[in-house]
Amino acid sequence: MAAAARDPLSAAGLDEADEAVRGTCEDASVCKRFAVSVGYWKDPYIQYFVRQAKERKAPEINRGYYARVHGVSYLIKAFLKKTDCNCQIVNLGAGMDTLFWRLKDENLLPRKYFEVDFPMIVARKIHNIKSKPPLSKPIMESHSGDSLLIDSHSLDSSRYSIVGADLRFSSDLEEKLKKHNLDIHLPTLLVAECVLVYMTPQQSANLLKWAASTFPVAMFINYEQVNMTDRFGQIMIENLQRRQCNLAGVEICRSLDSQRERLLLNGWETARAIDMMKVYSFLPQADVKRIEGLEFLDEKELFEQLMQHYCICWASKDSSNLGLASITF
């Protein structure tokens, strides 16, 4: 990467690729806001970060986001329960995510909540937080101690911190997080949603290795593509490539086994992976029935195919025997 950065042509190509990845943050946020507006789940904060979609999103997309948000949230809450919230969360590539505010509303805040993303995305998020009282007030309410530190690329309060960093360089990442009082001895949950797939296998391996070697008690949740070698997977790749979006780490998305293997090979003690169709079947069925009544789904087969091409993987290491390995759906 350093060599690439020295070569102006490579650097330009890298910037273009990074710009396409940054665009996926906007897409995901717009899709979430649309699903929230239809009634799939409640999120009173997303409206402050992203515009309403210009056109309707397909029902299979809305259901997919519903499963993603609820699946990831289920594992996060299981971790918070095991640690009695005496932990920290590091949301990697957080984009416009609103989890901090939603956890605060449920009295489920960890000791500290960190978000990391490209400096450009962080700057935009900080601008939204500063200019919108429904976002800034909860941060102020949960803050104690010295004055709040805030500049264009980082914000640091006693319970919430947002840092601009490149996840491909873990030494830089660690330095910035420690500056914001990351405590490596605290049980730590790291969350990455559609993040690792945009890094080369070596870069994501380095990040996973760094996390596993830095925190003695930790869990890693990864949501991303799977089963990408079949025809449907190839079409997904081609669609993204048309938008200049290259899945640099797609070879790890071959199967649930290759996803699990990556975690185990990089220092994690236990690892599980299930596709999103399975996750959907594990969600509370009364609520699933409710959301299935919101919109007519014509393309049931397309929905199932989509869900079989995304997965949630989670891994743990647990020197304190908190029972992290038993977390499951």
Side-chain angles (χ1 to χ4, degrees):
M1 290 298 289
R6 279 194 299 272
D7 173 352
L9 281 177
S10 298
L14 201 60
D15 282 347
E16 203 175 302
D18 287 353
E19 187 50 51
V21 174
R22 285 193 285 269
T24 65
C25 157
E26 180 72 10
D27 294 347
S29 306
V30 169
C31 286
K32 283 179 182 174
R33 177 158 182 195
F34 181 79
V36 165
S37 73
V38 177
Y40 279 84
W41 70 92
K42 287 186 172 67
D43 182 345
Y45 302 103
I46 189 111
Q47 61 182 314
Y48 302 115
F49 286 118
V50 70
R51 61 185 167 77
Q52 182 58 286
K54 287 190 177 74
E55 65 286 314
R56 289 189 72 81
K57 301 293 173 188
E60 58 272 16
I61 301 291
N62 298 329
R63 285 192 196 180
Y65 273 98
Y66 169 86
R68 168 180 173 173
V69 167
H70 285 74
V72 171
S73 175
Y74 177 87
L75 292 177
I76 290 170
K77 286 177 183 175
F79 180 86
L80 289 167
K81 197 173 176 184
K82 290 279 187 200
T83 59
D84 286 326
C85 293
N86 186 27
C87 62
Q88 59 197 355
I89 294 178
V90 182
N91 192 336
L92 301 165
M96 298 297 136
D97 196 76
T98 59
L99 183 63
F100 167 81
W101 290 270
R102 290 181 285 125
L103 289 177
K104 185 180 182 296
D105 284 349
E106 292 183 61
N107 283 322
L108 285 174
L109 273 189
R111 285 254 290 273
K112 186 142 186 187
Y113 186 97
F114 297 86
E115 292 186 341
V116 184
D117 214 317
F118 282 118
M120 203 181 280
I121 287 175
V122 164
R124 185 180 143 198
K125 192 164 194 174
I126 290 172
H127 172 75
N128 285 330
I129 291 169
K130 284 201 297 197
S131 59
K132 289 164 184 164
L135 299 176
S136 54
K137 211 165 145 243
I139 293 172
M140 300 306 291
E141 285 169 359
S142 62
H143 180 63
S144 58
D146 302 331
S147 61
L148 200 94
L149 295 174
I150 187 160
D151 61 36
S152 61
H153 287 118
S154 67
L155 182 161
D156 188 30
S157 76
S158 53
R159 303 295 290 277
Y160 174 79
S161 196
I162 178 167
V163 178
D166 191 326
L167 298 173
R168 293 167 294 198
F169 305 102
S170 44
S171 57
D172 174 50
L173 172 65
E174 182 171 355
E175 189 190 320
K176 285 179 175 172
L177 288 170
K178 281 186 170 165
K179 222 180 259 180
H180 288 211
N181 298 313
L182 179 83
D183 180 352
I184 61 167
H185 304 294
L186 212 50
T188 301
L189 172 63
L190 301 107
V191 183
E193 296 184 49
C194 289
V195 170
L196 303 186
V197 71
Y198 294 111
M199 303 162 82
T200 66
Q202 189 55 60
Q203 289 163 351
S204 67
N206 291 345
L207 180 65
L208 289 165
K209 221 174 271 169
W210 164 77
S213 60
T214 300
F215 307 103
V217 179
M219 179 164 154
F220 199 107
I221 299 172
N222 178 35
Y223 168 89
E224 70 181 3
Q225 292 87 340
V226 74
N227 298 324
M228 293 298 275
T229 53
D230 66 14
R231 184 71 199 114
F232 193 87
Q234 290 306 304
I235 292 167
M236 285 168 69
I237 292 167
E238 285 160 19
N239 285 342
L240 281 160
Q241 279 172 343
R242 267 201 288 278
R243 296 164 52 192
Q244 265 68 55
C245 211
N246 177 33
L247 300 181
V250 76
E251 68 186 75
I252 308 290
C253 303
R254 286 189 311 280
S255 65
L256 293 171
D257 282 343
S258 63
Q259 287 280 12
R260 252 192 311 266
E261 206 172 84
R262 166 169 60 182
L263 292 160
L264 294 170
L265 287 172
N266 288 299
W268 295 86
E269 290 162 8
T270 68
R272 303 187 192 203
I274 57 176
D275 73 45
M276 292 308 291
M277 204 59 219
K278 268 239 166 62
V279 172
Y280 192 68
S281 73
F282 291 146
L283 295 176
Q285 289 306 293
D287 199 52
V288 167
K289 207 169 166 24
R290 176 190 69 80
I291 66 114
E292 286 182 345
L294 291 174
E295 298 178 286
F296 176 66
L297 180 70
D298 196 21
E299 302 273 4
K300 274 210 169 65
E301 200 181 311
L302 174 61
F303 171 65
E304 284 175 17
Q305 280 188 307
L306 256 178
M307 298 288 268
Q308 283 157 2
H309 286 81
Y310 283 92
C311 66
I312 292 182
C313 328
W314 65 103
S316 65
K317 48 183 303 236
D318 188 3
S319 61
S320 298
N321 296 320
L322 296 176
L324 299 182
S326 66
I327 291 176
T328 190
F329 285 93

